[in-house]
Amino acid sequence: MKKTATFFAVLLVSGSAYAVVPTPTLPAPPPMPAPQISGVKAAVLLDVNTDQVLLDQNGKTSYDPSGLVKLMTAYLLYQAEGQKMLQPNEHITVSVDAWHAPGSRMFIQPGLPVTVDQLTHGLLIDGGNDAAIAIAQSVAGSVGGFVDLMNREAAAMGLHQTHFVNPDGMPTPGQRSTALGMARLARALLVKFPQVAQIAGLASYQYNHITQYNYNPLAGQNGITGLGVGLASGNNWDLAVSASKDGRALVAVIFGASSRAVAGTDASAMLHYGFHGWQQQQVYPAGAVVAQVKRIDWSPETLSVITPTAITVAIPRPSQGKVEGRFVADPKLQVPLKAGAQVGTLDLLWQGKVLKTEPVVAKNAVAKAGWFSRLWHRAQGAL
């Protein structure tokens, strides 16, 4: 038996004509496992381009967002600039309240010149609470009025578990949000005001001959574009980090890490997972027909459902199987309908899991059919 086995092996090696053993087909490697972020209260990884949550550990539980509150302060500042209420080179009058703001500071003071652009750097790089107070007073006239704007904007963004009490993030009873809420806010800031990335990722800046360093432990690294750090209490650090690579952008949010360094290490692992474990894929171009709804009491009888914009999703690497679309009609769908009206949603599924949901619209207008049209539709259906 031993000789036979040896002879068989020689035949396989010595001549290709005898190589009858097929090359085995190996299974595709499994997707990269998500990192387990331990020792923190919550962690969320969000894909900015597709608005997909790639990792969620306790991301919907409310905590004190501490300094991450400044993301909304920055959002409202950029919004005010866009509305020409303030200009980047405009000089701001510093109040005594801003001068004496506790916590992290950029060291502004009454009578010392400071511009909106300098306040923006102080807010986003070293998390200056004095900058936050000065910005709030400049935009809304008072801190209280600015906080009202913050909560109004949070409601408009759908951040229902978020409530702001101040613009600087100093621990205050009633100030709450979630890691997912802060990730959504960070995405809105990056998408609507991309110029924030030109400042928030800087390692340092100088104001009044004082060099201030970014509290973000990942700032200055290749691809890192911001965003904020906060200290909720003792050893209880919050961190929001944005990064871009190969046309993709991600946001990692950590609540309750034991130190800034630990928060940075965890966020770095999350970003690595997002960039290397997931890939972006366009599944539908704008105007793609994804469903047709047919009713004999409609005129025309068939409604074509299309994507209003191109739909892109993030899927795990390596790609195994295709992304499927599942149309879900609005249960209150009624005619008449105008072309372009939303008629439902499209679930994008990968291996049975819903990756994201997008609105879809009517391609053609539809009206209620008259009695003759309904009769004709029934006759056509009977053929």
Side-chain angles (χ1 to χ4, degrees), residues 203-214:
S204 66
Y205 80 105
Q206 191 176 82
Y207 169 71
N208 193 29
H209 308 294
I210 301 173
T211 299
Q212 303 282 357
Y213 294 94
N214 201 320

Side-chain angles (χ1 to χ4, degrees), residues 91-267:
H91 282 81
I92 297 299
T93 300
V94 177
S95 69
V96 173
D97 287 342
W99 179 29
H100 291 304
S104 57
R105 304 173 65 198
M106 66 174 287
F107 302 106
I108 55 176
Q109 55 184 284
L112 188 66
V114 65
T115 65
V116 171
D117 181 65
Q118 289 171 323
L119 289 174
T120 307
H121 281 72
L123 179 78
L124 293 170
I125 295 175
D126 73 334
N129 291 341
D130 50 357
I133 299 300
I135 289 168
Q137 293 173 334
S138 299
V139 171
S142 68
V143 170
F146 189 80
V147 171
D148 288 342
L149 292 178
M150 295 172 75
N151 287 313
R152 191 181 308 168
E153 198 65 45
M157 291 181 183
L159 308 182
H160 304 302
Q161 290 178 270
T162 296
H163 181 73
F164 297 112
V165 179
N166 59 47
D168 53 19
M170 286 297 290
T172 306
Q175 189 143 267
R176 312 291 285 177
S177 190
T178 66
L180 181 58
M182 286 295 102
R184 298 282 190 208
L185 171 56
R187 178 182 183 270
L189 178 59
L190 289 163
V191 170
K192 191 165 184 180
F193 306 110
Q195 63 267 37
V196 68
Q198 299 173 9
I199 298 176
L202 295 176
S204 66
Y205 80 105
Q206 191 176 82
Y207 169 71
N208 193 29
H209 308 294
I210 301 173
T211 299
Q212 303 282 357
Y213 294 94
N214 201 320
Y215 279 130
N216 185 332
L218 303 183
Q221 296 185 20
N222 186 34
I224 300 299
T225 57
L227 278 166
V229 181
L231 179 61
S233 63
N235 297 322
N236 194 356
W237 290 86
D238 302 332
L239 176 65
V241 178
S242 60
S244 61
K245 181 179 180 181
D246 299 331
R248 294 183 61 206
L250 302 175
V251 167
V253 174
I254 300 285
F255 271 16
S258 58
S259 69
R260 274 193 302 158
V262 168
T265 299
D266 288 341

Side-chain angles (χ1 to χ4, degrees), residues 67 125 342 367 376:
I125 295 175
Q342 183 173 339
W376 174 255

Side-chain angles (χ1 to χ4, degrees), residues 275-300:
F275 284 125
H276 296 278
W278 293 74
Q279 60 187 332
Q280 192 167 294
Q281 177 179 322
Q282 181 177 302
V283 289
Y284 291 103
V289 177
V290 295
Q292 290 188 319
V293 183
K294 192 173 184 178
R295 291 273 300 269
I296 61 172
D297 56 343
W298 286 357
S299 180

